[in-house]
PDB file of all heavy atoms in Angstrom:
ATOM      1  N   HIS H  99      17.482  -3.100 -14.711  1.00 98.00           N
ATOM      2  CA  HIS H  99      18.897  -2.904 -14.372  1.00 98.00           C
ATOM      3  C   HIS H  99      19.393  -1.564 -14.902  1.00 98.00           C
ATOM      4  O   HIS H  99      20.169  -0.875 -14.250  1.00 98.00           O
ATOM      5  CB  HIS H  99      19.758  -4.039 -14.949  1.00 98.00           C
ATOM      6  CG  HIS H  99      19.396  -5.388 -14.405  1.00 98.00           C
ATOM      7  ND1 HIS H  99      19.775  -6.570 -15.009  1.00 98.00           N
ATOM      8  CD2 HIS H  99      18.670  -5.745 -13.309  1.00 98.00           C
ATOM      9  CE1 HIS H  99      19.300  -7.586 -14.304  1.00 98.00           C
ATOM     10  NE2 HIS H  99      18.615  -7.110 -13.281  1.00 98.00           N
ATOM     11  N   GLN H 100      18.932  -1.219 -16.095  1.00 98.00           N
ATOM     12  CA  GLN H 100      19.369   0.051 -16.695  1.00 98.00           C
ATOM     13  C   GLN H 100      18.921   1.240 -15.830  1.00 98.00           C
ATOM     14  O   GLN H 100      19.671   2.193 -15.639  1.00 98.00           O
ATOM     15  CB  GLN H 100      18.834   0.176 -18.124  1.00 98.00           C
ATOM     16  CG  GLN H 100      19.455  -0.867 -19.069  1.00 98.00           C
ATOM     17  CD  GLN H 100      19.036  -0.682 -20.529  1.00 98.00           C
ATOM     18  OE1 GLN H 100      18.075   0.008 -20.832  1.00 98.00           O
ATOM     19  NE2 GLN H 100      19.758  -1.329 -21.427  1.00 98.00           N
ATOM     20  N   ILE H 101      17.694   1.170 -15.303  1.00 98.00           N
ATOM     21  CA  ILE H 101      17.201   2.262 -14.449  1.00 98.00           C
ATOM     22  C   ILE H 101      18.048   2.359 -13.172  1.00 98.00           C
ATOM     23  O   ILE H 101      18.367   3.460 -12.712  1.00 98.00           O
ATOM     24  CB  ILE H 101      15.704   2.073 -14.087  1.00 98.00           C
ATOM     25  CG1 ILE H 101      14.823   1.971 -15.338  1.00 98.00           C
ATOM     26  CG2 ILE H 101      15.215   3.202 -13.167  1.00 98.00           C
ATOM     27  CD1 ILE H 101      14.825   3.149 -16.256  1.00 98.00           C
ATOM     28  N   GLU H 102      18.428   1.201 -12.627  1.00 98.00           N
ATOM     29  CA  GLU H 102      19.314   1.220 -11.446  1.00 98.00           C
ATOM     30  C   GLU H 102      20.619   1.951 -11.766  1.00 98.00           C
ATOM     31  O   GLU H 102      21.110   2.740 -10.962  1.00 98.00           O
ATOM     32  CB  GLU H 102      19.659  -0.209 -11.005  1.00 98.00           C
ATOM     33  CG  GLU H 102      18.602  -0.855 -10.126  1.00 98.00           C
ATOM     34  CD  GLU H 102      18.903  -2.331  -9.879  1.00 98.00           C
ATOM     35  OE1 GLU H 102      20.096  -2.682  -9.721  1.00 98.00           O
ATOM     36  OE2 GLU H 102      17.948  -3.137  -9.859  1.00 98.00           O
ATOM     37  N   THR H 103      21.163   1.671 -12.951  1.00 98.00           N
ATOM     38  CA  THR H 103      22.402   2.335 -13.373  1.00 98.00           C
ATOM     39  C   THR H 103      22.192   3.847 -13.483  1.00 98.00           C
ATOM     40  O   THR H 103      23.021   4.643 -13.060  1.00 98.00           O
ATOM     41  CB  THR H 103      22.867   1.785 -14.744  1.00 98.00           C
ATOM     42  OG1 THR H 103      22.969   0.375 -14.639  1.00 98.00           O
ATOM     43  CG2 THR H 103      24.188   2.373 -15.174  1.00 98.00           C
ATOM     44  N   VAL H 104      21.033   4.216 -14.043  1.00 98.00           N
ATOM     45  CA  VAL H 104      20.724   5.648 -14.189  1.00 98.00           C
ATOM     46  C   VAL H 104      20.618   6.303 -12.809  1.00 98.00           C
ATOM     47  O   VAL H 104      21.140   7.406 -12.591  1.00 98.00           O
ATOM     48  CB  VAL H 104      19.411   5.854 -14.993  1.00 98.00           C
ATOM     49  CG1 VAL H 104      19.012   7.320 -15.022  1.00 98.00           C
ATOM     50  CG2 VAL H 104      19.564   5.316 -16.417  1.00 98.00           C
ATOM     51  N   CYS H 105      19.995   5.623 -11.860  1.00 98.00           N
ATOM     52  CA  CYS H 105      19.868   6.161 -10.492  1.00 98.00           C
ATOM     53  C   CYS H 105      21.259   6.425  -9.898  1.00 98.00           C
ATOM     54  O   CYS H 105      21.518   7.492  -9.341  1.00 98.00           O
ATOM     55  CB  CYS H 105      19.095   5.192  -9.595  1.00 98.00           C
ATOM     56  SG  CYS H 105      17.329   5.105  -9.988  1.00 98.00           S
ATOM     57  N   GLU H 106      22.149   5.450 -10.023  1.00 98.00           N
ATOM     58  CA  GLU H 106      23.515   5.612  -9.498  1.00 98.00           C
ATOM     59  C   GLU H 106      24.242   6.742 -10.204  1.00 98.00           C
ATOM     60  O   GLU H 106      24.911   7.558  -9.587  1.00 98.00           O
ATOM     61  CB  GLU H 106      24.318   4.318  -9.702  1.00 98.00           C
ATOM     62  CG  GLU H 106      24.061   3.268  -8.646  1.00 98.00           C
ATOM     63  CD  GLU H 106      24.617   1.906  -9.063  1.00 98.00           C
ATOM     64  OE1 GLU H 106      25.684   1.871  -9.719  1.00 98.00           O
ATOM     65  OE2 GLU H 106      23.957   0.883  -8.752  1.00 98.00           O
ATOM     66  N   GLN H 107      24.082   6.756 -11.542  1.00 98.00           N
ATOM     67  CA  GLN H 107      24.777   7.760 -12.353  1.00 98.00           C
ATOM     68  C   GLN H 107      24.366   9.178 -11.936  1.00 98.00           C
ATOM     69  O   GLN H 107      25.209  10.038 -11.703  1.00 98.00           O
ATOM     70  CB  GLN H 107      24.435   7.515 -13.825  1.00 98.00           C
ATOM     71  CG  GLN H 107      25.150   8.412 -14.797  1.00 98.00           C
ATOM     72  CD  GLN H 107      24.871   7.964 -16.239  1.00 98.00           C
ATOM     73  OE1 GLN H 107      24.256   8.691 -16.998  1.00 98.00           O
ATOM     74  NE2 GLN H 107      25.308   6.783 -16.614  1.00 98.00           N
ATOM     75  N   LEU H 108      23.064   9.423 -11.827  1.00 98.00           N
ATOM     76  CA  LEU H 108      22.589  10.783 -11.544  1.00 98.00           C
ATOM     77  C   LEU H 108      22.907  11.193 -10.107  1.00 98.00           C
ATOM     78  O   LEU H 108      23.188  12.360  -9.832  1.00 98.00           O
ATOM     79  CB  LEU H 108      21.091  10.899 -11.836  1.00 98.00           C
ATOM     80  CG  LEU H 108      20.691  10.622 -13.301  1.00 98.00           C
ATOM     81  CD1 LEU H 108      19.216  10.913 -13.521  1.00 98.00           C
ATOM     82  CD2 LEU H 108      21.539  11.428 -14.292  1.00 98.00           C
ATOM     83  N   LYS H 109      22.880  10.229  -9.199  1.00 98.00           N
ATOM     84  CA  LYS H 109      23.206  10.517  -7.795  1.00 98.00           C
ATOM     85  C   LYS H 109      24.668  10.927  -7.643  1.00 98.00           C
ATOM     86  O   LYS H 109      25.015  11.700  -6.755  1.00 98.00           O
ATOM     87  CB  LYS H 109      22.915   9.280  -6.937  1.00 98.00           C
ATOM     88  CG  LYS H 109      22.723   9.601  -5.469  1.00 98.00           C
ATOM     89  CD  LYS H 109      22.214   8.382  -4.727  1.00 98.00           C
ATOM     90  CE  LYS H 109      22.366   8.512  -3.213  1.00 98.00           C
ATOM     91  NZ  LYS H 109      21.752   9.709  -2.656  1.00 98.00           N
ATOM     92  N   GLY H 110      25.501  10.423  -8.546  1.00 98.00           N
ATOM     93  CA  GLY H 110      26.927  10.699  -8.466  1.00 98.00           C
ATOM     94  C   GLY H 110      27.356  12.010  -9.108  1.00 98.00           C
ATOM     95  O   GLY H 110      28.549  12.309  -9.162  1.00 98.00           O
ATOM     96  N   ILE H 111      26.421  12.811  -9.602  1.00 98.00           N
ATOM     97  CA  ILE H 111      26.787  14.069 -10.270  1.00 98.00           C
ATOM     98  C   ILE H 111      26.475  15.257  -9.353  1.00 98.00           C
ATOM     99  O   ILE H 111      25.312  15.577  -9.120  1.00 98.00           O
ATOM    100  CB  ILE H 111      26.032  14.198 -11.618  1.00 98.00           C
ATOM    101  CG1 ILE H 111      26.402  13.020 -12.541  1.00 98.00           C
ATOM    102  CG2 ILE H 111      26.347  15.529 -12.294  1.00 98.00           C
ATOM    103  CD1 ILE H 111      25.581  12.938 -13.814  1.00 98.00           C
ATOM    104  N   PRO H 112      27.528  15.880  -8.790  1.00 98.00           N
ATOM    105  CA  PRO H 112      27.318  16.945  -7.797  1.00 98.00           C
ATOM    106  C   PRO H 112      26.451  18.100  -8.318  1.00 98.00           C
ATOM    107  O   PRO H 112      25.639  18.652  -7.584  1.00 98.00           O
ATOM    108  CB  PRO H 112      28.738  17.451  -7.489  1.00 98.00           C
ATOM    109  CG  PRO H 112      29.671  16.464  -8.064  1.00 98.00           C
ATOM    110  CD  PRO H 112      28.952  15.650  -9.088  1.00 98.00           C
ATOM    111  N   GLU H 113      26.602  18.433  -9.592  1.00 97.00           N
ATOM    112  CA  GLU H 113      25.864  19.567 -10.177  1.00 97.00           C
ATOM    113  C   GLU H 113      24.347  19.349 -10.147  1.00 97.00           C
ATOM    114  O   GLU H 113      23.576  20.287 -10.258  1.00 97.00           O
ATOM    115  CB  GLU H 113      26.295  19.803 -11.632  1.00 97.00           C
ATOM    116  CG  GLU H 113      27.682  20.410 -11.787  1.00 97.00           C
ATOM    117  CD  GLU H 113      28.778  19.352 -11.844  1.00 97.00           C
ATOM    118  OE1 GLU H 113      28.512  18.173 -11.475  1.00 97.00           O
ATOM    119  OE2 GLU H 113      29.909  19.703 -12.244  1.00 97.00           O
ATOM    120  N   LEU H 114      23.921  18.096 -10.017  1.00 98.00           N
ATOM    121  CA  LEU H 114      22.477  17.808 -10.047  1.00 98.00           C
ATOM    122  C   LEU H 114      21.869  17.743  -8.652  1.00 98.00           C
ATOM    123  O   LEU H 114      20.654  17.590  -8.504  1.00 98.00           O
ATOM    124  CB  LEU H 114      22.222  16.472 -10.763  1.00 98.00           C
ATOM    125  CG  LEU H 114      22.685  16.338 -12.213  1.00 98.00           C
ATOM    126  CD1 LEU H 114      22.391  14.921 -12.719  1.00 98.00           C
ATOM    127  CD2 LEU H 114      21.991  17.361 -13.108  1.00 98.00           C
ATOM    128  N   SER H 115      22.715  17.849  -7.629  1.00 97.00           N
ATOM    129  CA  SER H 115      22.283  17.504  -6.267  1.00 97.00           C
ATOM    130  C   SER H 115      21.069  18.287  -5.772  1.00 97.00           C
ATOM    131  O   SER H 115      20.331  17.822  -4.916  1.00 97.00           O
ATOM    132  CB  SER H 115      23.445  17.644  -5.291  1.00 97.00           C
ATOM    133  OG  SER H 115      23.830  18.998  -5.238  1.00 97.00           O
TER     134      SER H 115
END
Side-chain angles (χ1 to χ4, degrees):
H99 298 163
Q100 293 185 344
I101 303 299
E102 277 172 38
T103 306
V104 174
C105 289
E106 278 167 35
Q107 184 173 115
L108 299 186
K109 201 171 164 55
I111 300 172
E113 287 88 345
L114 300 178
S115 64

